[in-house]
Amino acid sequence: MAYELTDKDLLDLATGAALLGTGGGGDPLIGRLLVEQALADGCKVRVLDPDELDDDMLVIASAMMGAPTVVLEKVPSGREAVAALRRLEDHLGRQADAVIPMECGGLNSMIPLLVAARADLPVVDGDGMGRAFPELQMETFGVYGVPASPLAIADERGHTAIVATGADNHRTEWFARALTIRMGGSAYIAEYPMTGAQVKRTAIPRTLRLALTLGRTLREAKQEHRDPFDALIDALKQTPYEHGQVLFSGKVTDVSRHVSDGFTQGHALIHGLDSTGTMRIEFRNENLLATVDDRVVAIVPDLITLLDADTATPVTTETLRYGMRVRVFGISTPPIMRTAAALDVFGPAAFGLTQPWQPLEEIAN
Amino acid sequence: MRIGIDVGGTNTDAVLTAGGQVLSTAKTSTTADVTTGISQAIDLLRRQAQFNPADIQAVMIGTTHFVNALIEAKGLAPTAAIRFGLPATSGLPPLVAWPDRLVQAIAGRSYLCHGGHEFDGRTISAWDEAEVVAAIEDAVEHGIRSIAISSVFSPVNAEFERQAAELITSRFPGLYVSLSHEIGRMGLLERENATVINGCLREVAEHVCTALVDALDLAGIAAPLFLSQNDGTLMDIEYTRRYPVATFASGPTNSMRGAAYLSGVDQCVVVDIGGTTTDVGMLQSGFPREAATEVEVAGVRTNFRMPDVLSVGIGGGSRVRPDGVGGMRVGPDSVGYLVTEQALVFGGETLTATDIAVAAGRADIGDPSLVAHLDRTLVRTALDRIADGIQDVVDRMRTSAAPVPVVAVGGGSILVPDELEGASKVLRPDHFAVANAIGAAMAQIGGEVDRVFPVAPGTRDAVLDQARQEAVAKAVAAGADPSTVQIVDIDEVPLAYLPGNATRIRVKAAGDLAVTS
C-alpha cells in the first residue's frame, strides 16, 4: 500500500534502476542527488499502489528526454520537470492528482520522484516501459490505447512547448526529440495524461518496488557475502517478472559503438571463461539481443543486463570496455509486455531485428 | 644523471640513474618537514655513488603529501566554488554531497553565476560581470583565499572559466584560482569537486613545492624538478604549485611504472607488496589500466584518472596466527614499518609474514636462526595462505584468459611464490624494493585531449587524427621529446539519444622527457 521513500531507499532504487536500464537509460546519479536534496528540504516522496487510484484521477507521466550524458554536465535546475507538468496541467485545464514514471530503468526512475516531492503529489508505483527503452511511443500506456500527446516539454529557463499529435505517438516522439535538441540535448517532459482507470489497465504495476527490491537484494547480498546473482534470482521469483538467470560469464573482448540516428548502436563480444563459446550482445542504447554462436539466448523486450562479475554492479553501454569481466543477466518480462500489441511496439521487429521473439525462460528450457 | 624520489607516508625511497641504469638506491624515513627527509635520501645516494650535483639533469618526485593533507584536513585553504551555468544546474549547487567535516575544513562557500555552454557549443546564458564580481567580493569578505571555477561543458568551451580567471587576476590579485577544464573531464560535479580539492590544496602546494626546491638547493642541485602525476606522467614544479591534485594516485602508479621499467615488460600484472598491503595493478603498454568507475577521495566523488588497483591486506609485516579452524591467518593487521623491530627474525616477538618467508628459505633477512624452530607444517600452511591471497587478486586483475607475466616489486615481494596460476612467469627484478622511486625517475611527459567532437559521416578518421595531433602537441608543449611521443590511449564514446554524431573523444599521448640522460 502507500509508503514513503527514504534516503536509503534511493540508493537501492538507483542500483535497481541501473539494472533495469539494461545498459541504457543513463546513470541515475544526478536524479538521485536531486531527490535527496528535495528530501533534505523537507519534501516527501509518497508512493501510491495503482490499486489505490480512483478511476477518475488525473495521472501524468514524467521523464527526462534526451542524452543522459548531457545531464551529467548540464545538471538540471530541478524545476524543469515540474514546469513541464504545470504546462500540461494548464493546457488540460486540470490539475494532476498523481505522477507516474514513464520508464523505471536508469535516470528516469528518479525524475518522477523529484516531481512528486517538489509538486507535493503522490507517485504511482508502476511505469510504461518496465525497463528502459529509447523512444516515447515504446510504452504500454500507448500500446493499450492512451495517446502520448498532448505532451509538454520544458527546459531550465522555464521555456515550454506543447506537442499535440492526436493519437500518433510516433509523431509525438519525433517532434519532442527535435525540441529536446534545441533545448540543449536534454529536456523534461510531461506526457500520457490519463485517468486512474487507464493507469490500472495499461501500466506495468509495482516496478518502483521491483527496482527497490533488486537494489536492496544486491546490497544485502554484498553485506552478507552471498552470491549476488543467486540472490537476484531468488528475489525475482517474488515479483511479476518471475524469472532471472545468468545467461553467460566472461570477459569483454570487443566493443564496437557508433552513432546513427541519435542512438548508440553496436555490439559487444564476450568470451566465455567458464564455458566455451562467445556471446554477442547487440545494443541500441539498451541491450537488445544476446546470442551465443548465433543461437538466440535472450531478445527484447526481455531484459539483458551486464553486471560486473565481482561486484554485480550494473555496467552501462557507455562504460563497457574491453577487458571487463562481466556476467550477462537475463530477466523475463511480465505478460503485459509480451502481448502481440506490445511486441508490435517494442518487440524485436520494432528495433529492426530479424530474429523472432522468444521468451527467455522457454529458450533456457 | 637523474634522481627519482618517492615520498610515502612511512618511507622515502630514492634512486640515482644514468642512461637508464640504476647507480644507487636509498631508503629512509619520511620526516614531518618535507626538506629533511629528501635531503637525507639525497645524502644516502651520494654516499653510495659519488656524483657532482651539476651532473644531475632532472629530479623526479612522487609524493603523497597532498592526498594526505586532504584526508587529514590539515592546512587546507578557505575555498569558494564559483560555477557558471545558470539558469541550469541550480538543483545541485557546488559542494553538494560533500562531507560536512570537509566543507568546514575548507570553510567552503559556493556561488552560481550565469554562463556555461550547451553540448553543441552555444552559450547557456551571457556573462554577467556584476554578478561575478559580487560573488568574489562576498567570498573575500568571508575570508576565502582560493577560488575554484567551473563552467558547464567547459571541456568543450572554457571561455567562461578563462574570463573569470582574468577578472580575478586583474581585480583581486592574491587569490588562488583553479579552473575545472584544466583539471577534470566531462561530468560537471566530479570535475568541479576535483577543482575545489585542488583549490584548497594550493597553500599546501606552495609550502611543499618550496620545501622541495629548498632541499635540492641544499644539495647543490640546480636541475629542473618534476612531480609525478596519477597517470604516470610528469609535471614541472610550477605546474604542481597550480595543480597539486594531479599527484593523488602517483604512488601506486610509480611503483607499477617502475616495475615495467625494471622488468622490461610493459604488458603485465604488477604485484607491489609493502609492509601492510599488497597492491595489484595491470600495466597495458607500460601504463596502468585506469579504474572505470568514479573514485571517492576523502568522501568526495571525483573522476580523476586513477589506476585500477586492487588491494589485499597481506604485507611483509602482516601478523601470522592460527585461524582457529586448523589453518593460519595472515593479516590484515600488520606491524607495518616496525617490522625491523617486532618480527622474530629481527629479535622481536611477533610472528610476521616476513618470518614465514625466511623460515621457508625464501629470503635471507635478519637472523634466520630465530625462526628455525617454527613448525614446518605451520610455515607451509601460512605460505599457502599468502600465495592464495595474492593469487586471488592477480586473477581478478587479469584481462584475458591467456597467461600474463607477473612482476613482483616492493619490500615484501619475497612473499610472492615463484609460480602463480595464470602467470606465464613471475619476475622479481633487481632493485625491486625501490621500484616506486625508479618509476618516478623514468616517468614520461604526457598530453591529453578529452572533448566532444562533431563527427560528420565519413570524417571519423580525420577527427581522430585531429585529436591525436592535439594530444601530441600538448605532450611536446609540456616538455616531451617529439621523437619519442606516442599515442598511449584512445577512447571514443558517442553521446547517446542525440542525432548529429557528437562524440566524446579521449586521446592520451606520452613521451620521454626532453633532456639527455
Side-chain angles (χ1 to χ4, degrees):
Chain A
M1 291 297 102
Y3 56 98
E4 262 184 35
L5 287 181
T6 65
D7 269 21
K8 195 172 181 185
D9 291 332
L10 292 180
L11 277 171
D12 289 338
L13 180 62
T15 309
L19 185 77
L20 295 172
T22 65
D27 188 339
L29 172 79
I30 297 288
R32 174 171 68 78
L33 292 176
L34 286 166
V35 181
E36 279 177 8
Q37 287 282 103
L39 292 182
D41 290 346
C43 300
K44 306 267 186 235
V45 178
R46 286 181 298 130
V47 184
L48 275 188
D49 192 88
D51 288 346
E52 293 174 287
L53 294 174
D54 292 339
D55 281 353
D56 61 352
M57 276 182 166
L58 174 62
V59 182
I60 290 175
S62 167
M64 190 281 304
M65 181 167 191
T69 323
V70 168
V71 179
L72 289 177
E73 187 64 32
K74 193 175 78 167
V75 171
S77 74
R79 294 184 297 271
E80 299 90 339
V82 177
L85 175 79
R86 295 299 182 220
R87 180 73 170 93
L88 188 57
E89 287 177 334
D90 286 350
H91 181 79
L92 296 168
R94 187 179 163 190
Q95 294 203 322
D97 299 299
V99 292
I100 186 167
M102 163 188 104
E103 177 178 38
C104 66
L107 172 63
N108 270 332
S109 62
M110 294 289 169
I111 302 300
L113 308 186
L114 177 67
V115 175
R118 293 293 182 191
D120 195 23
L121 286 173
V123 57
V124 180
D125 190 350
D127 78 307
M129 291 184 175
R131 46 170 289 161
F133 278 130
E135 298 182 353
L136 299 184
Q137 77 279 3
M138 296 177 165
E139 301 186 45
T140 51
F141 308 142
V143 167
Y144 299 111
V146 180
S149 87
L151 168 150
I153 186 165
D155 68 7
E156 66 279 355
R157 292 156 213 268
H159 294 175
T160 60
I162 291 283
V163 175
T165 54
D168 190 338
N169 296 342
H170 280 91
R171 296 282 282 183
T172 318
E173 154 69 30
W174 182 247
F175 290 169
R177 187 73 52 183
L179 286 161
T180 297
I181 291 161
R182 289 290 179 262
M183 287 179 165
S186 64
Y188 298 79
I189 56 173
E191 50 151 21
Y192 287 99
M194 59 191 139
T195 63
Q198 283 174 313
V199 171
K200 288 181 224 177
R201 190 169 56 79
T202 67
I204 303 147
R206 293 167 205 105
T207 46
L208 206 154
R209 190 178 290 265
L210 170 75
L212 267 174
T213 303
L214 297 180
R216 186 180 301 139
T217 300
L218 284 177
R219 173 173 55 81
E220 289 177 352
K222 226 167 278 181
Q223 284 165 355
E224 292 158 12
H225 301 292
R226 195 176 160 213
D227 182 279
F229 297 91
D230 288 347
L232 277 180
I233 291 165
D234 281 351
L236 279 163
K237 286 179 186 155
Q238 316 301 321
T239 74
Y241 286 58
E242 284 182 25
H243 180 84
Q245 70 180 96
V246 175
L247 301 172
F248 203 73
S249 299
K251 285 185 178 180
V252 178
T253 53
D254 185 41
V255 183
S256 162
R257 266 185 297 243
H258 63 274
V259 174
S260 53
D261 309 325
F263 297 103
T264 306
Q265 317 215 32
H267 69 267
L269 297 181
I270 302 161
H271 190 74
L273 279 184
D274 312 326
S275 57
T276 55
T278 299
M279 175 170 272
R280 183 181 169 104
I281 306 276
E282 298 289 341
F283 52 77
R284 184 170 170 199
N285 293 349
E286 285 81 28
N287 303 319
L288 299 177
L289 172 68
T291 54
V292 176
D293 303 333
D294 293 329
R295 189 174 53 82
V296 174
V297 178
I299 190 162
V300 68
D302 280 350
L303 283 68
I304 303 162
T305 293
L306 276 58
L307 297 110
D308 181 283
D310 293 320
T311 62
T313 308
V315 179
T316 63
T317 310
E318 292 190 346
T319 55
L320 192 62
R321 286 186 85 156
Y322 172 86
M324 279 184 169
R325 237 196 205 204
V326 295
R327 286 200 191 185
V328 182
F329 195 76
I331 301 176
S332 64
T333 35
I336 190 174
M337 295 176 69
R338 291 174 160 189
T339 62
L343 294 174
D344 271 352
V345 176
F346 49 63
F351 292 93
L353 297 176
T354 52
Q355 292 85 345
W357 152 250
Q358 286 172 274
L360 83 84
E361 68 278 15
E362 281 176 23
I363 303 172
N365 292 330
Chain B
M1 283 192 282
R2 294 178 183 187
I3 291 175
I5 302 175
D6 184 272
V7 188
T10 310
N11 287 321
T12 297
D13 299 337
V15 295
L16 175 70
T17 69
Q21 297 297 308
V22 176
L23 301 183
S24 69
T25 69
K27 217 175 206 0
T28 168
S29 294
T30 297
T31 55
D33 76 305
V34 181
T35 314
T36 311
I38 304 267
S39 297
Q40 283 171 352
I42 294 174
D43 281 350
L44 274 174
L45 285 182
R46 201 182 277 174
R47 255 179 262 162
Q48 287 178 45
Q50 277 301 322
F51 61 85
N52 182 346
D55 292 339
I56 302 295
Q57 287 162 311
V59 177
M60 286 82 160
I61 297 182
T63 177
T64 52
H65 275 115
F66 303 119
V67 69
N68 287 342
L70 182 75
I71 289 166
E72 294 164 14
K74 272 190 195 158
L76 305 181
T79 304
I82 299 180
R83 180 201 291 166
F84 293 90
L86 284 181
T89 81
S90 56
L92 298 172
L95 304 179
V96 75
W98 276 51
D100 290 339
R101 186 187 69 92
L102 196 55
V103 175
Q104 282 159 22
I106 67 167
R109 303 192 70 79
S110 80
Y111 302 90
L112 289 165
C113 291
H114 285 79
H117 286 83
E118 303 280 8
F119 76 100
D120 56 7
R122 290 175 294 147
T123 53
I124 293 175
S125 51
W127 168 266
D128 179 346
E129 181 126 343
E131 182 183 56
V132 185
V133 170
I136 302 167
E137 282 174 346
D138 185 74
V140 171
E141 267 173 39
H142 284 89
I144 293 297
R145 297 198 293 269
S146 185
I147 294 193
I149 296 171
S150 60
S151 176
V152 174
F153 276 110
S154 65
V156 180
N157 188 332
E159 178 190 335
F160 284 91
E161 294 187 3
R162 289 212 185 87
Q163 200 166 341
E166 280 168 25
L167 186 139
I168 294 172
T169 312
S170 64
R171 296 193 37 191
F172 302 88
L175 284 176
Y176 291 108
V177 183
S178 305
L179 306 182
S180 87
H181 76 278
E182 294 176 340
I183 287 169
R185 42 182 162 179
M186 300 289 280
L188 176 69
L189 298 184
E190 291 84 2
R191 182 174 74 248
E192 180 177 80
N193 286 347
T195 311
V196 176
I197 290 174
N198 191 71
C200 75
L201 290 170
R202 294 291 292 275
E203 293 179 351
V204 179
E206 283 295 337
H207 169 74
V208 168
C209 290
T210 302
L212 293 175
V213 171
D214 288 350
L216 295 196
D217 281 350
L218 274 175
I221 297 171
L225 173 59
F226 296 92
L227 274 90
S228 40
Q229 307 186 71
N230 301 341
D231 66 357
T233 57
L234 293 168
M235 56 184 169
D236 67 30
I237 190 80
E238 290 315 313
Y239 190 91
T240 312
R241 288 182 200 271
R242 288 183 287 137
Y243 306 105
V245 78
T247 64
F248 268 33
S250 59
T253 303
N254 277 344
S255 83
M256 288 170 69
R257 297 267 307 152
Y261 184 80
L262 289 172
S263 63
V265 182
D266 70 352
Q267 199 85 14
C268 61
V269 170
V270 177
V271 179
D272 181 2
I273 308 194
T276 306
T277 60
T278 295
D279 298 330
V280 179
M282 178 88 200
L283 275 175
Q284 292 169 327
S285 311
F287 283 86
R289 185 176 75 205
E290 287 174 11
T293 49
E294 268 81 8
V295 188
E296 279 205 356
V297 183
V300 177
R301 197 180 154 100
T302 67
N303 56 5
F304 297 138
R305 290 177 289 268
M306 295 287 226
D308 190 8
V309 172
L310 283 174
S311 293
V312 57
I314 296 175
S318 293
R319 290 173 195 268
V320 179
R321 62 174 73 112
D323 64 3
V325 287
M328 297 302 290
R329 198 165 64 121
V330 181
D333 51 336
S334 165
V335 298
Y337 66 95
L338 295 175
V339 66
T340 51
E341 294 167 26
Q342 300 192 355
L344 300 183
V345 289
F346 294 109
E349 291 179 353
T350 308
L351 178 60
T352 66
T354 298
D355 298 313
I356 297 295
V358 173
R362 285 263 184 83
D364 187 9
I365 300 171
D367 181 354
S369 71
L370 293 173
V371 290
H373 67 284
L374 291 177
D375 177 63
R376 303 318 299 166
T377 314
L378 179 155
V379 170
R380 173 96 318 244
T381 312
L383 221 46
D384 286 349
R385 175 68 207 92
I386 292 168
D388 286 350
I390 295 171
Q391 168 85 58
D392 181 57
V393 195
V394 167
D395 194 52
R396 285 203 278 156
M397 281 314 281
R398 282 196 299 149
T399 51
S400 87
V404 283
V406 170
V407 178
V409 296
S413 58
I414 46 165
L415 300 179
V416 181
D418 290 328
E419 281 180 17
L420 278 171
E421 206 179 302
S424 56
K425 54 190 168 184
V426 175
L427 300 167
R428 244 179 292 265
D430 290 344
H431 309 298
F432 58 78
V434 290
N436 43 11
I438 289 167
M442 301 304 165
Q444 290 186 307
I445 294 277
E448 190 182 278
V449 171
D450 176 7
R451 228 171 49 230
V452 177
F453 290 81
V455 184
T459 64
R460 180 173 168 271
D461 289 347
V463 170
L464 275 181
D465 213 43
Q466 180 198 340
R468 276 196 206 97
Q469 287 174 14
E470 278 185 41
V472 169
K474 278 192 173 185
V476 171
D481 175 356
S483 66
T484 64
V485 176
Q486 288 182 321
I487 300 294
V488 291
D489 194 24
I490 295 184
D491 191 35
E492 293 174 69
V493 180
L495 297 179
Y497 303 88
L498 285 176
N501 296 313
T503 300
R504 174 175 162 187
I505 298 176
R506 281 164 54 197
V507 181
K508 187 158 85 185
D512 293 338
L513 183 65
V515 295
T516 50
S517 60

